[in-house]
Structures are given as C-alpha cells and as structure tokens.
C-alpha cells in the first residue's frame, strides 16, 4: 500500500528560484535560508519518496481570473513549467503518475471533494521553486509528481477548515492506493506577506512562528481563522498558508517535527520551511 512518509511546508518565493539559477546559495543573505533546504534534502534522501503531491496555488499561469477552480488536481503524464512573469528560468518538465492521480480522483470526488481534473497542466513558481530548492543539484527530478492546486487568488477562496478537511480526504485516498509507494506531501506558499496596496511589505514574525508551532501541534485552532483574520494577521498573500493545512490534514492526528527554519525577510516574505513526519 502507499504510505505518506512525511510532509514539507515551504514558502515558494520566486527570488529563491533566481538565487538557485544564479548559484547564490552561499551568499550571506541566502545561506541561512538554504541551510533550511539542505536539512530538508538530507531528510528526503533518507526517506526516498517515489511520489510527491504538491499542494500549491497557481498565480495566473494555468488558471486565470476567467476560470478559477477552488481545488484542481493534475492527471497528466508530464507537467511543463513556465514563468508567468518573474523572470525565472524554465526548468525541465516533471513526470506525472497518471494511475496514482486517477486513484486520488476516484476516491476523493465520491467522498465529496469536488476536484477539477486537469489532464494538461502548466506548473508555475508555486510548484517549481520548492522542487528546485530540494533537487536543483540533480539533472532529473528523482520523483513523480501530482500537482494539487488551491485557489488563493480570487475571492472567495476555500476556508482554512475546508482545506484541512480536504487534506484529510487526500490522506485517506493516498493510503488506499494498492501499490507500495512512498509519498511526500508539500504545502507551499506563505508565510506572512503582502505584495501590493497600502500594507505592501507587511510581515508578522510573531504570527508566523505561532503558525509553525500550531501547524505541528494544534492545526485545529488554525482552522478557526477566518479569511479576514488571516489577511489581517498574515497579509493579503499570507492567505496562501491555507495550503499548509491541506498538507497537515493529510498527515493525520499527530506529527513529529524533524526540522524547521524561519528566515526574515526573504524578498517580501517571512520564509518558513518545516519537515514533518506522521507520529
Ligand atoms: C513573493 C512571494 C510569493 O508567494 C509569490 O507568489 C510571489 C512573490 C515575494 O515575496 O516576493
Ligand atoms: Fe505565492
């Protein structure tokens, strides 16, 4: 049977991608951030996953304001990367696992999770930046991927509670896959940031640290946060943190924190990474 061996939460800031392309990992500004990714890589090389499910938000590349699914899942043999305007290098395509994707779809939709099924899907920086932070040293991606997109762009976006509940169904669907596959779930985005408007540049370190603590030990309390509270506490784009709750819901009741890191500021963002294992 498939087994969820862990989860990684990480910011997906585009400038991290450019720092990798320009080999700036050892610059004093970037080194503390990349130390966090180095620890995550050491862990992932130990657990050797076959598949990653990447919960992220599309920022206007594959979906735009004309058509915006609340939850969408990839069921494609290949996912091509493109840059929607950050000047990021286009990276090599990711292999999908079509059979595994369809298993998730066939379990989750009857369980009440109305997914948009994408048999073609372009992946943007929300997906590719965390992947390259872990695996940029390799010529090929060493895992297959299932992109799982959450609308965090066009209001109304799904509630924190809904994201956690969707994660629980995702976890059940993965665990019922009959083949032996090791799966890691990524929840990308956040932490606190606001890219435009009167509060552009807003960062809330105290909230970010509390969110990291609670995502591990008390995710139910985070589910109570309304959109207005989340935006007040984490900034307009900080609402991307709801994707961490999808990942956390899939991991089950308790987790062990294998590693965590928080760096401030990276670009406009409080940048956090955590590695969690089901307890
Ligand atoms: C930044 C953060 C994001 O999550 C994003 O999608 C784009 C930019 C930033 O901090 O620069
Ligand atoms: Fe983002």
């Amino acid at each position: 049977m498939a087994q969820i061996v862990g989860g990684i939460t990480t910011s997906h800031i585009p400038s991290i991608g450019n720092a990798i392309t320009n080999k700036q990992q050892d610059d004093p500004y970037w080194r503390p951030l990349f130390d966090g990714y180095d620890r995550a890589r050491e862990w992932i090389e130990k657990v050797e996953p076959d598949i990653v499910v990447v919960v992220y938000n599309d920022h206007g590349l594959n979906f735009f304001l004309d058509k915006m699914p609340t939850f969408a899942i990839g069921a494609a043999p290949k996912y091509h990367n493109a840059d929607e305007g950050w000047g990021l290098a286009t990276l090599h395509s990711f292999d999908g696992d079509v059979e595994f994707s369809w298993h998730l779809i066939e379990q989750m939709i009857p369980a009440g999770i109305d997914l948009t099924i994408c048999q073609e899907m372009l992946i943007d920086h929300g997906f590719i930046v965390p992947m390259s932070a872990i695996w940029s040293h390799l010529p090929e991606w060493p895992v297959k991927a299932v992109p799982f997109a959450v609308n965090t762009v066009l209001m109304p976006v799904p509630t924190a509670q809904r994201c956690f509940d969707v994660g629980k169904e995702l976890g059940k669907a993965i665990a019922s896959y009959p083949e032996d596959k090791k799966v890691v779930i990524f929840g990308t985005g956040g932490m606190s940031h606001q890219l435009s408007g009167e509060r552009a540049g807003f960062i809330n370190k105290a909230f970010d640290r509390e969110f990291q603590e609670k995502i591990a030990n008390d995710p139910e309390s985070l589910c109570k946060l309304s959109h207005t509270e989340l935006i007040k506490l984490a900034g307009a784009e900080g609402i991307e943190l709801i994707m961490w709750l999808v990942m956390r819901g899939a991991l089950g009741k308790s987790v062990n924190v294998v590693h965590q890191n928080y760096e401030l500021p990276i670009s406009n963002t409080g940048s956090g990474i955590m590695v969690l294992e089901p307890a």
Side-chain angles (χ1 to χ4, degrees):
M1 302 296 280
Q3 187 199 356
I4 298 173
V5 291
I8 296 186
T9 67
T10 164
S11 316
H12 57 221
I13 304 159
S15 57
I16 298 175
N18 275 327
I20 294 167
T21 303
N22 299 326
K23 302 197 187 318
Q24 291 173 308
Q25 288 96 327
D26 289 326
D27 282 11
Y29 172 76
W30 289 108
R31 190 64 252 164
L33 175 95
F34 282 103
D35 277 344
Y37 286 112
D38 289 350
R39 300 290 86 72
R41 181 181 317 108
E42 281 161 23
W43 173 80
I44 221 159
E45 283 174 354
K46 259 196 286 181
V47 296
E48 293 188 316
D50 304 292
I51 300 174
V52 290
V53 176
V54 184
V55 182
Y56 73 109
N57 66 298
D58 182 272
H59 299 74
L61 177 73
N62 193 67
F63 306 116
F64 198 59
L65 302 181
D66 58 339
K67 297 179 196 72
M68 183 57 69
T70 303
F71 297 103
I73 187 168
K78 278 231 181 271
Y79 301 101
H80 302 297
N81 167 227
D83 173 41
E84 83 280 14
W86 294 97
L88 290 168
T90 302
L91 300 184
H92 40 287
S93 304
F94 240 99
D95 283 340
D97 185 327
V98 174
E99 216 177 288
F100 183 76
S101 283
W102 276 105
H103 172 82
L104 301 185
I105 292 161
E106 283 164 3
Q107 299 300 307
M108 291 180 76
I109 291 180
I113 311 298
D114 301 326
L115 302 171
T116 297
I117 303 162
C118 302
Q119 299 193 77
E120 286 181 8
M121 200 168 184
L122 286 174
I123 45 177
D124 79 354
H125 72 269
F127 179 114
I128 211 81
V129 165
M131 299 301 107
S132 53
I134 303 279
W135 286 303
S136 64
H137 60 302
L138 298 179
E140 300 284 337
W141 305 115
V143 288
K144 293 190 171 179
V146 179
F148 193 101
V150 179
N151 169 30
T152 66
V153 172
L154 181 64
M155 285 292 172
V157 308
T159 61
Q161 182 69 56
R162 176 68 174 153
C163 287
F164 191 58
D165 294 343
V166 165
K168 286 184 185 169
E169 291 301 333
L170 173 64
K172 279 192 226 165
I174 293 170
S176 69
Y177 190 63
E179 274 180 51
D180 289 339
K181 298 278 181 197
K182 287 189 275 182
V183 181
V184 168
I185 305 174
F186 280 74
T188 90
M191 298 196 81
S192 59
H193 65 300
Q194 172 144 347
L195 299 180
S196 60
E198 267 179 34
R199 291 203 307 162
F202 175 82
I203 289 179
N204 184 347
K205 180 179 179 180
F207 175 74
D208 286 344
R209 296 316 304 242
E210 189 184 334
F211 198 95
Q212 283 189 309
E213 201 276 312
K214 291 202 165 142
I215 198 85
N217 300 319
D218 186 14
E220 284 84 2
S221 70
L222 300 175
C223 294
K224 298 197 182 90
L225 289 167
S226 68
H227 292 146
T228 311
E229 285 168 322
L230 255 173
I231 288 169
K232 227 184 244 170
L233 289 164
E237 278 78 31
I239 203 161
E240 289 179 346
L241 283 167
I242 57 176
M243 294 175 299
W244 291 29
L245 280 164
V246 177
M247 183 274 331
R248 182 61 186 85
L251 286 194
K253 231 177 162 32
S254 338
V255 294
N256 294 322
V257 179
V258 178
H259 171 70
Q260 64 177 315
N261 197 21
Y262 183 75
E263 287 304 322
L264 192 68
I266 298 296
S267 185
N268 300 294
T269 303
S271 180
I273 175 163
M274 298 176 80
V275 177
L276 306 176
E277 275 180 349

